[in-house]
Every structure is written in C-alpha cells, then in structure tokens.
Amino acid sequence: MSERLRGWGSWGRLRPVLLSAPLLGIVAAAASWDVGFGLPGLGLDPSWQAGIAMASRRGMDFGSEVNFPWGPLGFLRQAHLHYDGLSVLGVLYQSALHVGLCVTLVWTLSRRVHPLIAAAVVYLVVAWLGDIETTEVLAAAWCLAALDLPAPRLARGLVVVGGALLSAIEVMVKLSAGPVILAVFLITVLALDTRRRDAPAFLGLFAAFFAVLWFSVGQGVGNLDDFLVNSLQLISGYSPAMGVEGSGLAWQFFAAALVAAILIGGTAAGLHPRARRLAGTAIVTGVLFAAFKEGFVRHDLFHAAYFFSTAAALALAVPWRVEGWRPGQLVPAILASCAAALVIALAFIADPGPPTAGLNPVDRLRMLRSEVRGLLNAELRHTVTDAAAQQLRATYRVDRKSLALLRGHSVHVDPWEAAAAWAYDLDWQPLPVFQDYTAYTARLDELNADALAAADGPERVLRENTDVVDPSYPGETIDERSPALDPPAATVSMLCNFEALRTTRRWQVLARVPTRCSAPRPAGEVETSYGETVPVPRARAGELVIAAVEGAEVGGLERLQPLLYKSAERRISFGGERSYRLIPGTSGDGLLLDAGPGADFPAPFAFSPRARSLTITKGDTTDPLSIRFYRVTVVGAGPAHLRSS
C-alpha cells in the first residue's frame, strides 16, 4: 500500500509537467513535423525562391534593385538549398514557428478543454492541414490570450516583446503578411489596461528590431523609402492583376462567410469588457480577411486551402465562452465545440490533398530526424546543393555558345527563370521586378523599362522559351497573358535597347546596344468602348506600332473591388479567336501591337502579336475607352538584329 501511495505521489509531482502546454505542444509538433530543407527547382515559384536567395546573398537593395512580394528576409520562409547559411537559417526559423504554433495552440485550447484533448486536436489540425498561415495565427493567438480575462501570466510579455520581434521579422519576409501581423499586435497593446506603458515599449522595440535586421541583411537608409513605396505597389496591384476564378468552387464563398461569422461571433461572445471585445473581433476579422485575399483572389483548390486551414487553426485560439463542463455550462460548451468542429470540418473538406495525408506520425518523425541530420551535416547539404544545380543544368541545357556570350557580363533572365542564373553561376543583375508578370502597375513597369534603357542596367538578357524549358507549364506566360503586354513598357524598352546575339529553340541571348528607337510619333486616336473592334495601323519595315489605352484602368467605385476582393477581368484580342488577359494597371503604358520586318526579335522569341484589329472586353460592360496609336522607328534594324542559329 505504501509503495502504491508513493507511486501516486510521484505521479502527482510529474502530472503538471507531463500535462504542460510546452511538453504536449512539442509532442504535437514532432508528430506533425513538416519542416525541412527544400531542393532548388525549375519553374515559376522555384525561380522566385532562387531570386530571393540570390538577392539576399549578394546584399542587393530591396526596393531599388529588387522588388517582389517577398522581402529581404523572405529566405527565412523558403529554406531551399541555394546557399548553405541562408537555408540553415530558414529551417531554424520555420522550425521555431512550427513548434511555437503547436505549443501556443495547446496552451490556448487547454484553457477550455483537458490538455490531452487539446494536444490531440492540435496535432490533427496541424498534421492534416498543411496550408496554415503560421505567423498570422501565432500572432492572433498571443493577442487573443492577452485580451482574455483572466489573461495568462506570459501573454502580455509575448505581445509586447515577442510581438515586436515577430512583426519586425515578418514585414521583411512577406509583404502581405507583415503589415497584418504588426497591426494585430498594435491593436492589442492599445486595448490593454497597460497601454500607456506597453504601446511605446512595443513601438520602440519594433523600431529597434527592424533597424537591426534591416542593416544586418545589407540594406541601407537610401533604399528604405523605395522599399516602402514599391512594396505598396506590389500589394495594391496584386488583386487587379492576379485574380483568377476556378470552376465549381462557388460553395466556398458561402462556407467562408459561415466560418467568418462563427469565429468573429465566438470572439465577440468570449471577450469583455467592450474595448477588449472590439480589439479581439478586429484581430480575428483582420486575419480572416488577409487569409481570404490569399485564398480567393487566385481562387482555386490550392489557394482556397490557405483560408480554410488558417481559419481552422484560428478556431483553436478563439476565446470561446466556455467556463467548464459542469451541468450548468454544458449548453455553451457543446455549442462552442460544435462551432469549432464545423470550422475544422470545412477546412478538411476544402483541403485538396488526399484524405488523412500526413497523419502518420512515424513519417513525420522520420522527417524531423532527416532535418536534424541535415542541420548537423554541412557536407551533406553541399552535396545536395551541387546535385540540384547539376540537375537544373541538365534540364535547362543552355548551350556552350550561349553561355560564352553570357560569361563576363551582368545578366537578367526573362521572363522568370532566375534559377538559371543560380544554376550556371551567372553574374545576375535582374530588372527591379525580376519576374516580369509581377510588374503589374505603371510604376513597376516603368522601373523595369528604365533599367533596360539605363547604361548601368544588365548587359545581357537570357530569354527562355517557357513552353520548351518547362513543358509542365501550360503557356508562354501566366494567366493567358500576351508576352508583348507583360509588362508593355518593358517589352518596348527591351526591343529598343537590345539585339539578339544568339537564338535557339530553347534560349535567346540579347546584348545591350545604344538605343535604336525614335521618339513615338502619333498615329491616330480612336474613341471606342468595351466590346467594340478597332482597326490597328499596319507597322512598316523597321517600325513598331504601340497603343496607349485610357479607361481600362481600375477607377471610380471599382477601386473598392480590389481593395475588398478583386476587380473585373479585362480581356484583349487582336483579330483572332484567342483573347489575352489585359492588366488594367499597365494598359496605358504603350501596348506593342505590331512590329514590321526587322523590328522584332527572331522567332520563336518575337514579341509582336501582329495585330490587325483590337477588341477589349470587360464582361458585358460597354463603358467608353480611348486608344491613342503611336509609331516608333527602330533605327538600324537589319541583318545584325536577325542573327540566329
């Protein structure tokens, strides 16, 4: 009997440790592990990941030299083996986020249910749903815990100190997520009773952390304003330019509205007094809205999963009004459980992966072991990196003559395959917006056009035939855009300031030359409207015909659409059955419509759509448009410009 009592006494001492949120959260994190080193790859996304890594490694100035929706610390959320030090930092950061998310969700949920149940639910959600916006959920969970009464002892410090550090990191990681996280923490400190002390402390710590991080990654004072201005361009121009709508997904709009109502309502019911309730509902609304934009602007199965997965994780942090499972509290407890379960169930339904994928903890533990092995073995990392570069070179197959023309010169890769510069160790000097489809505002298009015209711009351009280089990608550019219009001012600038040195079926090498183009000369103006067909002036030999469209940009009340969701899609056709996506932000930049003999690059890299007529549509709209045509003479267009092999 005495031995049994001593055993129970030992359990009594161990019980708080074994049932603690840190331990159970770490167990859930290990059983759901999904962090590891990534391999450099081919294609659109792997190439911007390579570009961010190259820019960070070389200390390029973000804002002036490099612009993308990911900032100078974007490599922390990628961890691909382009460069050893950057990939190690990325794995460590993502590992900390993964463990932090699991520990935090177990911590918040165990305030309302038994810790073992909390750990099991967190494991199920995190292991099954792989598209959670970890940093936004983590920030919201810390803030909701601090706003809850009674607040946990560590919550205030997490918000003030941890929130300042996480915000400073994330505003330099991902442009769309960082400001949301910063706003979430700022709303919280302003709602706390200690706001007069906490708000200045939070802002001061954020400024200090940001400054240290900004300068530590090679950024300077001079490019900070460019970074802020161009980041705003990238964020504001995203919805009008990048929206797509998949088929058969209408039900997800109703599901998203139901999820938002449940989580916002649950937060409002669970927090008091009024200031904390308003702050909590603002936080949940803001995180859900950011996830909605992430998932529904480019609305397909994979992007929509971001919204529903993030909502499911957020449901575990909402301060549901549950004070226990005593008889008098059963009804609110059951209602809260059912509401949270419904949100999670909708996320499982929306998940595009196979059912129960990733729920095998043995596989996840093997992944964790593999990551630890990679972190401890630098030689293994170098071997994998070298093998990946060799595999990319075998896929790209840039021929020796083309490489000889590139070596010793600064090189931009067009339209997006920046990973080729990494694989061949070229002197990468990208255009400011280094994947051209992202130059979707007039300012961003102008930045690229100016860099192509500048004497200190890239000396060579390596252009890929996307259909051949990456056959898995369906088309010559993304979202059915025309290469001549993506973006338009940069296209004309490339034609005016470069000539083809070598053209093969897969690649083309361009070299900088003194500008070959005359000033644009007016060639007529037409008042028309959406849906009407307009004839295009014919380009003569050595001549370009371009058009500036007025009225196709997003204006008036329509400006609210991309702010809240996305604007109506514009289409443009050139006399044939095929139509292309027209980006409203660059429609007035000078669209290349026709190029006469000798004015364009050799096939299959010619830009001109050889338009004989022009029709712009926007659904059933018949609003007026104005089109001004111009002629540009390409001086010296001739045999040297047409060399190919």
Side-chain angles (χ1 to χ4, degrees):
M1 178 66 71
S2 61
E3 291 180 359
R4 182 178 298 178
L5 289 175
R6 283 196 295 269
W8 280 109
S10 299
W11 164 246
R13 289 191 296 270
L14 289 175
R15 186 176 184 276
V17 176
L18 295 177
L19 296 182
S20 66
L23 180 60
L24 292 176
I26 290 172
V27 171
S32 62
W33 200 264
D34 65 347
V35 179
F37 291 98
L39 292 178
L42 169 81
L44 196 71
D45 287 350
S47 282
W48 70 250
Q49 292 158 2
I52 293 296
M54 287 190 290
S56 299
R57 174 64 179 267
R58 301 178 187 203
M60 291 182 173
D61 289 342
F62 279 73
S64 53
E65 293 181 302
V66 176
N67 294 277
F68 202 70
W70 295 75
L73 289 178
F75 64 87
L76 290 176
R77 297 271 291 274
Q78 307 307 321
H80 291 78
L81 283 164
H82 297 104
Y83 301 103
D84 189 56
L86 298 184
S87 62
V88 168
L89 288 174
V91 165
L92 292 175
Y93 182 67
Q94 291 179 61
S95 299
L97 290 179
H98 180 71
V99 173
L101 177 68
C102 291
V103 170
T104 296
L105 292 181
V106 172
W107 173 58
T108 56
L109 188 58
S110 61
R111 287 165 58 82
R112 287 163 174 82
V113 300
H114 191 278
L116 289 177
I117 296 176
V121 173
V122 169
Y123 158 72
L124 180 66
V125 169
V126 176
W128 192 330
L129 305 174
D131 297 314
I132 298 169
E133 284 291 343
T134 303
T135 51
E136 294 178 19
V137 173
L138 194 61
W142 290 355
C143 291
L144 291 173
L147 293 170
D148 199 6
L149 290 177
R153 183 169 54 88
L154 297 176
R156 179 170 158 264
L158 276 176
V159 168
V160 176
V161 181
L165 178 59
L166 184 62
S167 299
I169 294 173
E170 285 298 311
V171 294
M172 286 190 279
V173 169
K174 190 176 182 182
L175 305 185
S176 59
V180 174
I181 293 169
L182 176 60
V184 162
F185 284 115
L186 188 57
I187 289 170
T188 302
V189 296
L190 291 175
L192 296 177
D193 298 336
T194 53
R195 54 183 166 271
R196 291 188 177 181
R197 177 177 51 183
D198 290 344
F202 172 80
L203 293 173
L205 286 170
F206 168 77
F209 288 140
F210 181 88
V212 170
L213 292 168
W214 181 259
F215 293 117
S216 68
V217 292
Q219 305 304 301
V221 175
N223 65 303
L224 181 58
D225 57 340
D226 288 330
F227 176 71
L228 296 175
V229 171
N230 293 336
S231 294
L232 183 60
Q233 290 284 308
L234 288 163
I235 294 170
S236 63
Y238 178 81
S239 292
M242 301 296 291
V244 295
E245 187 61 41
S247 59
L249 300 177
W251 70 271
Q252 292 188 344
F253 290 95
F254 298 101
L258 177 60
V259 164
I262 290 173
L263 296 183
I264 295 171
T267 302
L271 291 177
H272 60 87
R274 184 170 180 270
R276 292 178 180 242
R277 181 182 301 116
L278 291 175
T281 53
I283 288 166
V284 173
T285 301
V287 171
L288 287 175
F289 178 69
F292 175 79
K293 292 292 291 275
E294 180 81 18
F296 282 77
V297 170
R298 295 187 67 77
H299 188 198
D300 53 35
L301 284 174
F302 294 96
H303 284 86
Y306 283 103
F307 172 82
F308 290 103
S309 298
T310 299
L314 192 58
L316 307 184
V318 165
W320 302 101
R321 192 172 182 179
V322 177
E323 299 177 2
W325 290 82
R326 298 181 300 276
Q329 299 295 325
L330 280 179
V331 172
I334 292 172
L335 289 176
S337 300
C338 291
L342 178 58
V343 173
I344 295 170
L346 288 171
F348 289 161
I349 294 171
D351 184 55
T356 71
L359 285 182
N360 187 340
V362 176
D363 291 341
R364 298 303 184 101
L365 290 172
R366 287 172 179 163
M367 184 183 297
L368 173 58
R369 183 183 64 181
S370 176
E371 182 202 329
V372 173
R373 181 186 174 202
L375 283 170
L376 297 176
N377 193 333
E379 184 178 352
L380 175 63
R381 298 195 301 270
H382 295 156
T383 300
V384 172
T385 299
D386 292 342
Q390 183 177 357
Q391 179 62 43
L392 281 178
R393 292 193 294 269
T395 304
Y396 287 140
R397 289 191 290 163
V398 180
D399 63 280
R400 293 182 179 180
K401 291 183 179 180
S402 295
L403 285 174
L405 295 172
L406 298 171
R407 301 289 185 194
H409 298 278
S410 57
V411 179
H412 166 67
V413 185
D414 179 77
W416 59 63
E417 200 68 34
W422 174 81
Y424 287 100
D425 194 24
L426 300 176
D427 180 11
W428 188 57
Q429 185 181 345
L431 300 185
V433 187
F434 65 87
Q435 288 194 326
D436 60 5
Y437 68 92
T438 317
Y440 38 56
T441 71
R443 176 183 171 87
L444 297 175
D445 188 12
E446 183 182 0
L447 287 175
N448 278 6
D450 290 347
L452 287 165
D456 60 352
E459 298 166 336
R460 297 283 191 268
V461 175
L462 176 63
R463 298 183 64 205
E464 61 163 326
N465 185 344
T466 56
D467 285 334
V468 177
V469 174
D470 184 9
S472 65
Y473 199 86
E476 51 202 356
T477 185
I478 74 166
D479 296 347
E480 298 181 317
R481 300 189 196 180
S482 167
L485 316 181
D486 198 24
T491 295
V492 174
S493 185
M494 188 178 291
L495 281 170
C496 289
N497 295 283
F498 287 82
E499 70 173 15
L501 294 183
R502 180 172 175 77
T503 301
T504 67
R505 182 169 175 262
R506 297 174 65 89
W507 298 96
Q508 184 179 67
V509 178
L510 305 181
R512 177 176 296 282
V513 295
T515 184
R516 307 179 306 125
C517 289
S518 68
R521 306 184 308 276
E525 182 174 352
V526 177
E527 299 297 327
T528 182
S529 63
Y530 284 109
E532 290 189 3
T533 299
V534 175
V536 173
R538 188 74 176 267
R540 297 182 284 264
E543 189 177 68
L544 306 176
V545 171
I546 63 177
V549 180
E550 293 184 1
E553 66 278 3
V554 177
L557 291 177
E558 192 187 6
R559 293 178 185 271
L560 295 176
Q561 287 183 244
L563 180 64
L564 300 175
Y565 179 41
K566 57 189 174 188
S567 55
E569 183 178 295
R570 281 81 163 155
R571 307 287 297 185
I572 185 170
S573 59
F574 303 120
E577 294 183 358
R578 183 178 181 183
S579 67
Y580 299 90
R581 178 80 172 268
L582 178 65
I583 305 305
T586 58
S587 58
D589 291 1
L591 313 178
L592 175 63
L593 300 179
D594 193 16
D600 207 343
F601 293 135
F605 292 90
F607 277 122
S608 170
R610 306 303 301 273
R612 297 296 173 259
S613 64
L614 175 65
T615 308
I616 300 175
T617 58
K618 187 179 75 170
D620 297 329
T621 302
T622 57
D623 292 343
L625 297 170
S626 177
I627 303 176
R628 297 195 308 274
F629 295 101
Y630 298 90
R631 295 184 183 273
V632 175
T633 300
V634 182
V635 179
H641 183 58
L642 296 173
R643 285 199 299 266
S644 63
S645 59

